[in-house]
Every structure is written in structure tokens, then in C-alpha cells.
Amino acid sequence: MMTPKQVQQPTIMDVAARAGVSTATVSRAINQSGPVRPGTSEAVWKAIRELDYQPNVAARGLASRRTHTIGLLLPGIGGEFFAALLRGIEHSLVESRYNLLVHSTFPQNYTATPFTRALGEHNSDGLLVFTGSLQDHELHRLSKSGLPMILLYCSSPPGLKIPSVVVENRKGTVQLITHLIQVHNRKRIVFLRGPDNHEDSTERETGYWEALALNGIKPDTDLIGHGDFSSSEASKAIHNMMDRGIVFDAVFAADDEAASGVLQALHQRCVPVPDKVSVVGFDNSSLASHLTPPLTTVDARIEQTGYVAVTKLIELIELGTTSPVSILPSHLVIRRSCGCEAAPDSGD
Amino acid sequence: MMTPKQVQQPTIMDVAARAGVSTATVSRAINQSGPVRPGTSEAVWKAIRELDYQPNVAARGLASRRTHTIGLLLPGIGGEFFAALLRGIEHSLVESRYNLLVHSTFPQNYTATPFTRALGEHNSDGLLVFTGSLQDHELHRLSKSGLPMILLYCSSPPGLKIPSVVVENRKGTVQLITHLIQVHNRKRIVFLRGPDNHEDSTERETGYWEALALNGIKPDTDLIGHGDFSSSEASKAIHNMMDRGIVFDAVFAADDEAASGVLQALHQRCVPVPDKVSVVGFDNSSLASHLTPPLTTVDARIEQTGYVAVTKLIELIELGTTSPVSILPSHLVIRRSCGCEAAPDSGD
DNA sequence: TTGAAAGCGCTAACAG
DNA sequence: CTGTTAGCGCTTTCAA
């Protein structure tokens, strides 16, 4: 393994020498961390420009213990979610002049040695932790170390009080299911669960039961299947139900991805949507409006989640505190797949 | 602005003291960078575990001038592209035990001071540079500094010889257009350009002209519109053409996103696809198979691009050299929108 | 307003 | 095989 042969970059000493001042003065001029006479400052900046000097981030971080960077921890994915989330994060970041590091946590590597861990913790002033990207004991360790963190799409594990940003899953689901029942007169509504232990999924399930109860509909566990937030799993689940002769007039998939699988399965079985069966999802991901028929779903405010999370994290870093939990109100996005007529699509 | 009050983390000295050895030995044990007697090593690791010690990345980077991290530079966006790209990158990274930093280059901030620049250059051993994320002069500066880099989806700017990974745009387009002409007997094929100066877009246009020529079809500049890699722009362009009374029997949108806009516009105008007009795109993004009708397109090998790029970059970092350009063969993905019958969908 | 100098935590010769 | 020591490039007291 070769050591990369990089050209020697100019250092702060080169700048100091060229400007005829000390390194301390250069540092002050750059960071405005102390008084510098205007003329001196000007000379420093001139030298910086002439040398095309760039401070070394590692040295800076080591000395000042601040990186002016926040880290985003994601489980090893590249889902539809990512794009929208990133958009929100960026938007917020641009305003605050922080930098962003996205660390993908490859769970496979996690066990190798403690040193294959993502380096975020030492490389950033704070962390945005997407649900599922960190094991609980890691969360404990980081939390104990005092690293500012914000949890995305899940609430703080018991024993810790890490601020979080979550979406109103339950209420959104109740609205959605109630719409199916009251507007479209559906009574046998399938629910396709997401992954086990996934907070969003369990809350959506709670919302499902609650909506049925509120509307006086008798629950039927036959109608519960496993979609696993996956198109193919959801498709299988629907085929399976139909094979077993289970009758239903609507399907609520725990996310849009699963809903797309449902649509596919129903299409293959020549079941007309929404005429015979209504299909709805959750997230309002970029998929939703492109499906056939366009999917009625609940907007999970992905972009805004990113935005708010960054705001909170920076509060935490700079002020030392932020509100414990931000709940983003979700809202219904009505399209065709529930049985409504094509409405002006306000969901994009 | 408060300094974050992080708990003091254990350092290599704490580990050394606890294990009864010197810091050099601890370093050797951790990095396997020199001989350490098994018993000693064991004692070191025991101390590490007990202290829950984590090496400080900044200090490490400063001392060793290697971060074991590669940076991905993206323009400030969150498109459909990145999910797939990231998947490929991750896949390759996991195998190589490097870490990934994704730096979003916010062009807006770029001008503030030289120090608001993305920190990638000092924080990673090499850079993956996505097309459009860096201005040419930055590319020059970085290249001069000797930082290993790989260009994604564009070739090295004149004067530099930065290795790159690109997709076979021209050939893929020729196949696609030829299919339209020979199989579906289309003769008036609209082309909706991508953004100006975008290499992928211009190459696809070249392919378009070439295919027409090869098949003896007279080009007609009336059929050229602007899709801008955007659904809404493409939709507008189609409406505009129809308003102007331009007749066509097929549309080739420079990317899938634009194709989706075409489909929408045509749907609004009640033009049956593919019966009256064939529609095709480019990329085979996650959208394509979900559109109605499912989109015939060219697979741009996004995931593999990420994979190959990482492989090349690591070659460059560790071996000091890699092949100047990797051209990934694209291939046709036939679905319904061109007029073919639904085929087994091999494009996902 | 400026400079000298002591680290930040780690790696990498160089001795032993 | 192991320890000593000199930095890596920057920030930050503390004096001047």
C-alpha cells in the first residue's frame, strides 16, 4: 500500500512568513478570533490568496476540537427517502454555513474491530442519526460521550433522552383509514406491516387499529400481512392472501414502496383499482404520483424532517439545548388509488 | 457560540498506561504497523476494550496523512440518481474497508471565502467527483495538488487527465432510436435535450442524429425541444410542440425524468402511448418501471458506475495509477412505452 | 495588537 | 520486539 504522493500544500507558517507576521496572527485573521489591525489582516489575506492556502482540516479539528461539520448517519441504503431527506438537510445547512458529512454505516463491518466504525463521531460537531443506522449500545456510547445528536424517524431509546424528529404516523394513518371507510365505504381493509420493530411501522399499525375502532369496524387478523416496506414482499403478500381466498376491498400498505407492489399484484390478478379495491400507502415518496393509478398516501414530510433536524442539531451544538422532540404533522395526499376522482395534485 | 462540552475521551496515552506499554506499541497493535508480541497485543486490546477507546480521527489523519476515507462530491441536489449511485459505491466500499464521506458542494457558498469550501480535500484520501459538482478551476487546483480523483459521468476537462467513469451514451441512444425506427416504424422522432453543456445530454443528442442518419431519416430541427432533465420542463415542451401543430410519432427524452413529463403531457392531450406515439427515455432510473406505460429506456448502469468508480479510486490511491477511462456499456431496456408487448422486465 | 510557545492525539523514524 | 521522541498544522493561552 503506497503512501499517496501528494504535493506539499502550503501551511499556515508559509502564510505567516510571506505576510511577515506570526502564525498566531494568521490564525486570528482567518478565524476572526482576536484583534488584528486591518492593514495586517489585509497582508495576511493577500498572502493566503497568493499561496492558494487552505487550512488543514485535521489540524484545525485537532487543535480547536470543532469541525464546523455535522454528520448524517444512514443505514447502508440508497432508498427513495434519501434524496428528499438530503434536500431538506442541505437547505438548512446552506443557511447555517455548516458542512455535511454523510456516513454510511455498513452494519456488516461494524463487528470487525471498534475501528471500522464510521468516523463521524470524531469528525463532526454533531450527528443526525437516521432510524436503524445505529445499534442501541452505540447510541448509548455516543450519548454518554456528550456528542450532540438528533434522531430521525424514531424516538429516543429508553434510558436516553436524545432529541428527535418524528412524523405524526398515527394521526395520519387514522385520517387515511377513516377516509377509506367513510368516503369510499370500505370495510375489509388489509394492512401490510413494515419491518418488525420499526417504529414508523408499529405506529402506523396502531393508527390502523384505532381507525377501525373509531369507525366501528370489527378487526380481522386475517387481513394483516407483511409488506416489509418492499414492493416484492408486498406483492407476494397480496397474492398469498388471494390464494387463501381472503376477501378485501382495500389495502393499506405501510409505505409507498409496498403499495406499489400491491398495485402490481392486483394488476396481475386483474383486480381493478380503485373500482374493486382501494390501495393506499404512506410517505408520499417520489414514486407515489407516478404509479398507476396515482397513489393516495400520507405525506411523511421527508424534506422538512431533514430541515428541522439540522436546525435542532445546530441549536444543540451552539446553544447546548433543543426541544426534546419535534413532531411533524403529516397530511393526507388524495390521488386516484383510493377511489377519489383525479384532484389537483397538491402532493408534490 | 458555545464550545460543545464533550466529555473527555480516553486517548492513546490512557490505553498505553493501562496496558503498561508505550503509545508506540499501542499504535502498532492497533494498526498492525509493526511487530508486537501476541501477549502484549492482547493486553493492549484489553485496555482498549475496558476504556472503550476510540482513536481520534483528526489526530490520526494529521500524523499519518491518510484518512482511509474517500469523499464523494455531489452538486447540491437529491435526485433519483443518487440512491442507485450510492448503492454501488457502498457495495464496493464495504469490500475495501474504506469509509465514505459525501460532501455536498453548495455552489452558493463557494464564493464566500476559500474556507467555506467543502472540506473533502483534506479529509479524504481521494475524491469521487460527480459531474457538475466542481467548477473547472477547482478541478485544476485539486488535480495540481495531487489528490487522487475520479470523475463520474463526464470526461476529464481539457488539459487535465483525471480518470473517469462514463456510460456509453451514444451507442445506447443509437440502439434505442434504431429500435423505434426499425421495429415500430417511427419516422418523426422528437428529441428533448437535457441541460446545456451536459456531456451526457450532448452525447445522447449525437447518438440521436447518428441513428437518424444511419436509418436514412431526414432530420428536422422542429423536432428538437428542451426537456432539461426535468419532468415539468419536458411536459411544457411537448405541449408547446403540439400547440405549434408539430406532428410526431415518437419522443426520445434525454432522461427518464423528462420522459415521465412527456407521458403526462401526452396523457393530458389524450394521445395514446404507445399506440399513436412511442415514448422512450434514458437512465432506467427507479421511475421507469413504475410509469404508465412502463418506460422503454436505456440502462445507464448507475449502480455499476458507483462500484467501478470506487474500485478505480482505490487503485489510484494505493497503486498510484488506474486506467484513464472506464466506459460502461449501456443496454436497451424494452418495456411497453415504445410499442413492444409487455416483456419479462429484465431492467430492474 | 502581536508573538512565543505549549499543546491537541496520534504516527513514524530511530534507537535500543 | 519495544520505548523515546520528534513532529503533523493549527489554535490558544500568556506575555509583551
Side-chain angles (χ1 to χ4, degrees), chain A residues 54-55 90 104 115 117 292, chain B residues 52 54-55 90 104 115 117 292:
Chain A
Q54 294 267 124
E90 283 185 353
S104 222
F115 305 104
R117 282 176 184 163
T292 308
Chain B
D52 196 14
Q54 293 269 124
E90 283 185 353
S104 222
F115 304 105
R117 281 176 185 161
T292 309

Side-chain angles (χ1 to χ4, degrees), chain B residues 221-256:
Chain B
T221 52
D222 272 359
L223 297 176
I224 305 302
H226 227 288
D228 205 32
F229 285 0
S230 135
S231 173
S232 57
E233 281 306 307
S235 175
K236 263 186 256 175
I238 291 298
H239 279 301
N240 183 274
M241 278 194 185
M242 295 184 70
D243 289 343
R244 289 188 296 149
I246 293 170
V247 178
F248 53 88
D249 54 17
V251 179
F252 166 42
D255 82 339
D256 291 349

Side-chain angles (χ1 to χ4, degrees), chain A residues 114-134:
Chain A
F115 305 104
T116 53
R117 282 176 184 163
L119 33 86
E121 15 189 329
H122 294 298
N123 240 347
S124 52
D125 298 340
L127 244 38
L128 257 27
V129 182
F130 195 85
T131 182
S133 50
L134 236 36

